[in-house]
């Protein structure tokens, strides 16, 4: 039986009180709704008015945040306390984008910020070198958090890229991408960036070997930049120690784009752009650390998510950005959210009373409208969404952009309103053609997609994940669940290569290996 939890019981009471009232009725009924549910920080606006909550329900959600002592948890995070309890580490990614600390500041945060500043200087020197040299192509090798952040930022800010090399990303252990890529490159002008916090990740090391062979061991040693917490392994791999940049155990991979992991962003767009990206995130940090919860963007985003997940019982969250430059946002948020809060026990190992992280998925608009929006409008399930829009484009194709924005606004209206009986005069097809509406969603609106606003957007979600992790009681900074599959793959590899099956392997797995082997030439 679920243990009694007064704060969640209050949410259930609010839910019962709201009954079957529709979002559009709430919008009409509450004139002050926008004051409470729309908040802005610089170029970023968060709008919760299309959630199935009213002011009283929002109060109950804020009371939940207080009951979970979220303020204390934020203070502990920024103070560098070991919030990652299972690994006894702090989570100080905010220090990677912090302003220079005062000389007499002896805090853990200041110590981390000093290390980060030294590394940022090293990055800038290496970026100046690559941007003023003969390198035409930079191949970034890394996976998960060592890939998704820089990949997303390079894509999102490609309109800022001037004077740097072309940047390519290789992540998957599937050799297809690296094989196709090297056919297009000149080894004499290719530089590799090798990013692996552990420097043991199979995918990254296999792809790095392919590239080391492609550019030649001597040039690889001379040119490659590595980013890792395992300097010895990187050196043993043949990388010049002067070109090995640090990672630290207080930065999780999925929170690492702000460190030297973001090297390709600076290489492609320049050091100033990378600094502006970090400054945007820093503005969000300052806001998360100090703004009252009533207008604290990450806290409000987190609370809307908790309502949808735990009160409405929705198991997924779709991310639809109406901007092609944010095509990788769902993939980035998948790792950020699901690797952080995809847990079934709390930080003390006790089974959770209610489910945590929803499944995150998504696609850019308007492509998404021609793929899965049918189901969002007329399917049985209620599927919450975050719709992300960008007001000003980076191009002069006005007609395209106006159409994009019209679709963004229209889908939000359609999701909320659905159809009315009078919309469909043909009674025979009314059931098939009508949409119920009342689909909860957030609007995240950026004035433009600049380095600053992108930094804010990513930090908004980082802190949302932290706030939700606190509310659910999970450790958002470990990821033990990814280990099992890696271990089994290691055990199975010899059998895939033609050797014996490992002892004690189950019958279904053994049969699949045999099947594959029987078809291998
Ligand atoms: O998928 C598990 C994981 O450990 C992620 O947390 C991490 O971002 C990724 O693998 C890459 O790890 P590394 O940077 O150590 O190669």
């Amino acid at each position: 039986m679920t243990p009694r939890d007064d704060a969640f019981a209050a949410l259930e009471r609010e839910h019962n009180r709201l009954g079957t009232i529709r979002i559009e009725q709430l919008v009409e009924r509450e004139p002050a709704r926008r004051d409470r549910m729309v908040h802005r920080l610089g170029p970023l606006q968060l709008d919760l008015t299309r959630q199935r909550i009213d002011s009283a329900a929002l109060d109950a959600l804020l009371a939940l945040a207080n009951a979970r002592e979220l303020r204390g948890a934020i203070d502990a995070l920024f103070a560098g306390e070991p919030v990652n309890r299972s690994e006894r580490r702090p989570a100080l990614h905010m220090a990677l984008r912090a302003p220079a600390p005062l000389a007499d500041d002896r805090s853990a945060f200041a110590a981390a910020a000093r290390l980060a500043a030294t590394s940022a200087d090293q990055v800038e020197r290496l970026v100046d070198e690559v941007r003023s040299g003969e390198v035409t192509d930079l191949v970034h090798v890394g996976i998960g958090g060592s890939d998704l952040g820089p990949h997303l930022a390079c894509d999102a800010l490609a309109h800022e890229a001037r004077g740097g090399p072309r940047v390519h990303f290789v992540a998957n252990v599937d050799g297809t991408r690296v094989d196709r890529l090297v056919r297009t490159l000149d080894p004499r002008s290719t530089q590799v960036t090798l990013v692996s916090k552990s420097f043991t990740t199979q995918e990254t090391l296999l792809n790095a070997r392919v590239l080391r062979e492609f550019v030649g061991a001597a040039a690889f040693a001379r040119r490659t930049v590595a980013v890792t917490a395992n300097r010895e392994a990187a050196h043993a791999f043949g990388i010049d120690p002067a070109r090995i940049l640090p990672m630290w155990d207080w930065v999780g991979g999925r929170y690492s784009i702000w460190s030297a992991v973001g090297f390709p962003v600076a290489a492609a767009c320049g050091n100033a752009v990378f600094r502006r990206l970090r400054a945007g995130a820093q503005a969000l940090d300052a806001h998360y650390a100090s703004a009252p919860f009533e207008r604290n963007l990450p806290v409000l985003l987190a609370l809307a998510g908790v309502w949808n997940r735990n009160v409405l019982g929705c198991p997924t969250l779709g991310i639809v950005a109406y901007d092609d430059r944010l095509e990788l946002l769902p993939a980035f948020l998948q790792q950020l959210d699901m690797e952080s809060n995809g847990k079934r026990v709390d930080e003390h190992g006790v089974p959770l009373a209610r489910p945590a992280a929803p499944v995150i998925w998504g696609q850019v608009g308007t492509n998404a409208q021609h793929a899965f929006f049918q189901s969002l409008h007329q399917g049985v399930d209620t599927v919450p969404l975050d719709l992300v829009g960008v007001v000003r484009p980076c191009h002069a194709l006005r007609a395209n952009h106006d159409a994009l924005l019209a679709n963004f606004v229209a889908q939000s209206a359609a999701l909320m309103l659905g159809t009315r009986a009078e919309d469909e005069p043909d009674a025979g097809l009314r059931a098939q053609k009508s949409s119920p509406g009342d689909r909860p969603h957030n609007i995240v609106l950026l004035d433009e997609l600049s380095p600053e606003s992108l930094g804010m957007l990513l930090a908004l979600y980082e802190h949302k994940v932290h706030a939700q992790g606190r509310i659910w009681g999970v450790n958002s900074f470990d990821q033990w669940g990814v280990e099992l599959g890696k271990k089994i793959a290691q055990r199975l590899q010899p059998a895939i290569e033609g050797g014996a099956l490992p002892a004690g392997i189950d019958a279904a797995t053994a049969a699949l290996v045999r099947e594959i082997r029987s078809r291998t030439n």
Side-chain angles (χ1 to χ4, degrees), residues 143-146 195-199 201 204 253-254 335 339 479 482 486:
I143 195 163
S146 295
V195 180
S196 177
K197 182 175 168 185
S198 60
F199 221 86
T201 302
T204 303
R254 54 194 176 272
Q335 190 205 15
E339 199 164 82
Q479 60 284 321
V482 300
K486 290 184 196 173

Side-chain angles (χ1 to χ4, degrees), residues 77 104 111-112 163 282:
L77 176 74
D104 61 350
Q282 203 279 321

Side-chain angles (χ1 to χ4, degrees), residues 157-456:
L157 300 175
H159 58 283
E160 301 272 357
R162 270 174 293 272
R166 288 181 289 265
V167 179
H168 314 270
F169 289 84
V170 173
N172 198 344
V173 74
D174 180 347
T176 309
R177 183 172 294 248
V178 70
D179 183 54
R180 284 185 182 166
L181 179 62
V182 294
R183 291 168 198 275
T184 68
L185 300 177
D186 180 344
R188 292 164 302 178
S189 61
T190 297
Q191 177 174 321
V192 177
T193 311
L194 192 43
V195 180
S196 177
K197 182 175 168 185
S198 60
F199 221 86
T200 58
T201 302
Q202 182 191 49
E203 292 91 333
T204 303
L205 295 181
L206 280 168
N207 284 323
R209 279 185 200 120
V210 174
L211 286 158
R212 186 174 59 186
E213 196 164 313
F214 173 68
V215 297
F220 184 85
R222 217 173 36 249
R223 271 186 240 142
T224 300
V225 171
V227 185
T228 184
N230 187 352
R231 283 184 70 81
E232 297 71 33
H235 188 202
F237 198 82
I239 296 159
D240 176 356
R243 301 173 77 79
I244 302 175
L245 301 173
M247 277 184 85
W248 305 274
D249 65 3
W250 41 267
V251 183
R254 54 194 176 272
Y255 299 91
S256 67
I257 181 202
W258 324 100
S259 70
V261 172
F263 182 83
V265 184
C269 304
N271 286 319
V273 165
F274 192 35
R275 267 183 249 135
R276 287 169 58 199
L277 180 78
R278 295 199 302 263
Q282 203 279 321
L284 215 298
D285 292 342
H287 169 84
Y288 184 51
S290 63
F293 289 171
E294 290 73 14
R295 49 191 164 81
N296 192 311
L297 273 61
V299 173
L300 293 168
L301 188 59
L303 292 175
V306 168
W307 180 271
N308 290 334
R309 182 74 177 108
N310 299 131
V311 180
L312 301 187
C314 305
T316 84
L317 170 66
I319 307 289
V320 180
Y322 277 76
D323 195 307
D324 261 1
R325 294 168 294 176
L326 294 174
E327 191 175 5
L328 293 178
L329 186 64
F332 176 85
L333 295 182
Q334 249 166 13
Q335 190 205 15
L336 179 63
D337 214 315
M338 296 173 73
E339 199 164 82
S340 297
N341 289 341
K343 315 271 162 78
R344 53 192 284 283
V345 297
D346 72 10
E347 59 181 343
H348 306 293
V350 178
L352 297 180
R354 46 191 64 75
V359 171
I360 306 288
W361 56 283
Q363 160 73 285
V364 286
T366 58
N367 299 14
Q369 294 171 201
H370 300 272
F372 51 77
F373 267 59
Q374 158 63 35
S375 170
L376 303 186
H377 288 299
Q378 290 194 314
V380 171
D381 295 314
T382 294
V383 181
L385 298 173
D386 284 357
L387 300 184
V388 183
V390 180
V391 178
R392 293 193 291 272
C394 66
H395 55 74
L397 304 174
R398 188 67 198 260
N400 286 64
H401 194 66
D402 287 347
L404 180 72
L405 289 179
N407 276 279
F408 168 64
V409 177
Q411 288 299 327
S412 171
L415 286 162
M416 180 174 80
L417 302 172
T419 45
R420 290 150 223 261
E422 60 269 26
D423 292 338
E424 183 43 61
D426 180 353
L429 282 178
R430 194 166 286 152
Q432 287 93 324
K433 287 192 168 180
S434 68
S435 299
D438 205 33
R439 307 301 209 195
H441 56 282
N442 294 312
I443 300 284
V444 179
L445 196 62
L446 304 178
D447 290 347
E448 61 188 353
L449 190 58
S450 63
E452 290 85 357
S453 69
L454 180 66
M456 292 176 94

Side-chain angles (χ1 to χ4, degrees), residues 68-79 81-85 90-94 97 254-255 285 288-289 293 296 298-299 301-303 306 336-337 340-341 347 458-477:
R68 291 295 194 274
E69 296 176 352
L70 178 58
R71 173 63 62 204
I74 295 171
D75 292 346
L77 176 74
F78 280 83
E81 288 180 23
V83 292
N84 177 354
R85 289 187 210 293
L92 278 172
H93 42 283
M94 302 80 64
R97 56 226 187 184
R254 54 194 176 272
Y255 299 91
D285 292 342
Y288 184 51
F293 289 171
N296 192 311
V299 173
L301 188 59
L303 292 175
V306 168
L336 179 63
D337 214 315
S340 297
N341 289 341
E347 59 181 343
L458 303 187
L460 168 72
Y461 279 98
E462 284 182 354
H463 293 316
K464 175 203 96 159
V465 165
H466 173 258
Q468 289 187 333
R470 175 64 183 194
I471 288 166
W472 288 319
V474 301
N475 178 356
S476 302
F477 300 107

